[in-house]
Amino acid sequence: MRRWRSLQALPSYMGGKRKLLGQIFKHLPGPTHSPVFIDAFLGGGSVSLMAKARGYRVVCNDIALRSRIIGEALIANDRVTLDEADVLRLFAPPSNDSFIADHFAPNVVPSKHARFLDGAFTVARSVEGPKHWLLMLLLVKYILRLRPMGNFGAKTIIHQIEEKDWDAMRPSFLREIVHRGIDAHPKLMCEILRKQINAGIFGNGQVNQVSCLDVFDFLGQIDGGDILYLDPPYASTSSYEAALNPLDSMLAGQMIKPEPSVFSRRNAVAALEHLFEVSQRFPLWAISYGNAELSLDDLVAIVRMFRRDVHTESFHYIHLTGLSSAEKRESNREFLIIAKGEK
Ligand SMILES: C[S@@+](CC[C@H](N)C(=O)[O-])C[C@H]1O[C@@H](n2cnc3c(N)ncnc32)[C@H](O)[C@@H]1O
């Protein structure tokens, strides 16, 4: 699929489906036949953004604030953009908090950026309406851009940036740091991110919605929908709550104790079965799932408990290369299941 400019607006997201968008939508009826697209696990937003571009009415949801920010800024909002003055305000906070500098510098983010982020969050939280969400999205992208491959584990490289120890750094990382503007003034990175975000803002003639609920509450309260896209965390993979805990804590302005989702746990099959059970009133399901714990046959057997007509595809897929070993990358499979026809 050709690179689509609006995707730049999204943060790089663990488990994101950017590279599978063509495969996913190829199997789905268009919005004239199936107008309402439900994305129950919004994550980094790529599937909802594509559904919006295709003209569906998008109703999306994720339990995490990090995803709600994406949904409010890019799915529900269809005309408000960030101008230069909005971003400059981030550099003149009325007061300065030091939560990020105190808890995350210099192991997670370099001190210079931590000080900027503390002030910028104070400003972003004081702004209301779509601009609030757009500024919060800019800060999410900013934080992830500081981290090699979006991974919050590595400390050494952040220490090297802190100490400007460029000689010690791997040349590929050094190039990346310069390319991302991490060694420059925060204004440079903000300006790059502002333009990226604005590239993802468009209307599609629909009223698109976002919720921030546990998936079972969400599915229980929505009226209806034509296509239900399910991309839950995969059983036996590192949970979003643990892997992205520094980001979630910065967004919350306080340290959060990560509580892994039921879908990330080992033997999450019961949660998956329950999810399908409560999804029966949606005529068409598109399901993404990985092979960490279940084979495609295992997964199909579960889906067949609820649906007659089941189509499957399997792809060799690499998520965030920095987070997995070569062996694991080789064996990683991503499944796509299209299921319809009530039993
Ligand atoms: C595989 S990701 C979705 C990726 C997304 N399709 C994309 O392209 O970026 C799974 C998402 O499920 C969310 N999640 C985990 N448990 C949840 C729950 N119980 N209810 C709702 N969302 C949940 C996580 O926060 C995470 O963002």
Side-chain angles (χ1 to χ4, degrees):
M1 186 180 167
R2 255 184 48 230
R3 269 175 86 89
W4 175 39
R5 225 177 126 248
S6 295
L7 287 178
Q8 304 172 10
L10 304 173
S12 51
Y13 200 80
M14 187 178 136
K17 295 299 177 298
R18 283 180 201 211
K19 292 189 190 143
L20 288 178
L21 292 173
Q23 301 288 349
I24 294 169
F25 282 89
K26 169 169 107 181
H27 295 285
L28 303 179
T32 316
H33 176 272
S34 301
V36 182
F37 187 99
I38 314 283
D39 183 0
F41 300 89
L42 172 68
S46 56
V47 176
S48 280
L49 197 67
M50 177 55 99
K52 181 178 176 184
R54 293 199 165 212
Y56 297 97
R57 183 162 87 75
V58 180
V59 182
C60 58
N61 172 69
D62 197 289
I63 199 165
L65 174 60
R66 70 185 106 83
S67 297
R68 177 180 179 197
I69 290 169
I70 300 166
E72 299 276 5
L74 299 174
I75 307 300
N77 167 36
D78 51 14
R79 76 180 74 86
V80 182
T81 54
L82 280 178
D83 53 40
E84 277 180 70
D86 296 322
V87 171
L88 283 177
R89 284 177 69 183
L90 297 177
F91 292 86
S95 63
N96 247 330
D97 187 11
S98 61
F99 170 70
I100 297 177
D102 293 347
H103 292 85
F104 297 104
N107 285 343
V108 180
V109 291
S111 310
K112 169 180 88 175
H113 295 288
R115 284 192 298 274
F116 161 68
L117 287 166
D118 274 322
F121 270 114
T122 311
V123 176
R125 288 191 186 107
S126 71
V127 173
E128 290 184 359
K131 294 243 182 192
H132 165 74
W133 299 110
L134 290 164
L135 290 173
M136 292 295 279
L137 176 59
L138 187 135
L139 297 178
V140 169
K141 284 171 70 71
Y142 191 106
I143 293 163
L144 291 173
R145 197 174 168 97
L146 292 173
R147 300 294 318 175
M149 324 260 184
N151 168 4
F152 282 96
K155 278 189 196 163
T156 314
I157 184 165
I158 303 296
H159 289 164
Q160 288 166 341
I161 299 172
E162 177 85 9
E163 282 145 30
K164 297 189 181 299
D165 191 1
W166 311 125
D167 290 342
M169 202 176 278
R170 293 223 313 254
S172 56
F173 278 154
L174 183 57
R175 271 198 301 279
E176 194 55 29
I177 301 293
V178 175
H179 171 73
R180 294 187 189 194
I182 293 172
D183 62 328
H185 191 278
K187 274 185 189 150
L188 178 82
M189 242 165 69
C190 286
E191 199 39 32
I192 297 171
L193 299 178
R194 180 182 77 83
K195 289 182 181 149
Q196 290 183 352
I197 290 173
N198 286 346
I201 296 165
F202 56 86
N204 71 346
Q206 308 286 350
V207 178
N208 303 294
Q209 290 166 272
V210 55
S211 308
C212 189
L213 296 171
D214 179 86
V215 69
F216 295 105
D217 295 332
F218 168 70
L219 292 173
Q221 70 160 50
I222 51 172
D223 281 345
D226 302 296
I227 300 172
L228 175 65
Y229 177 63
L230 296 170
D231 184 15
Y234 306 159
S236 299
T237 58
S238 47
S239 79
Y240 288 79
E241 294 76 14
L244 299 177
N245 179 255
L247 172 65
D248 291 344
S249 297
M250 290 184 216
L251 292 175
Q254 59 179 320
M255 296 307 281
I256 292 183
K257 190 168 168 282
E259 288 196 21
S261 164
V262 286
F263 294 99
S264 301
R265 301 195 188 141
R266 284 192 63 186
N267 200 4
V269 172
L272 214 49
E273 279 183 23
H274 186 202
L275 179 64
F276 296 148
E277 203 175 330
V278 299
S279 300
Q280 297 200 63
R281 66 202 156 89
F282 301 97
L284 179 69
W285 300 349
I287 306 160
S288 286
Y289 212 73
N291 65 338
E293 189 174 291
L294 293 180
S295 69
L296 183 56
D297 287 347
D298 295 335
L299 188 60
V300 168
I302 302 174
V303 176
R304 281 200 191 283
M305 288 163 56
F306 305 93
R307 295 270 136 142
R308 273 182 286 120
D309 183 353
V310 179
H311 169 85
T312 65
E313 304 235 351
S314 169
F315 313 97
H316 181 212
Y317 193 65
I318 299 168
H319 288 282
L320 279 177
T321 43
L323 294 180
S324 49
S325 66
E327 195 188 334
K328 217 168 158 210
R329 286 203 292 271
E330 188 42 46
S331 60
N332 267 0
R333 289 287 175 280
E334 179 72 39
F335 307 137
L336 175 66
I337 297 191
I338 308 291
K340 51 190 176 190
E342 272 176 48
K343 277 256 179 176

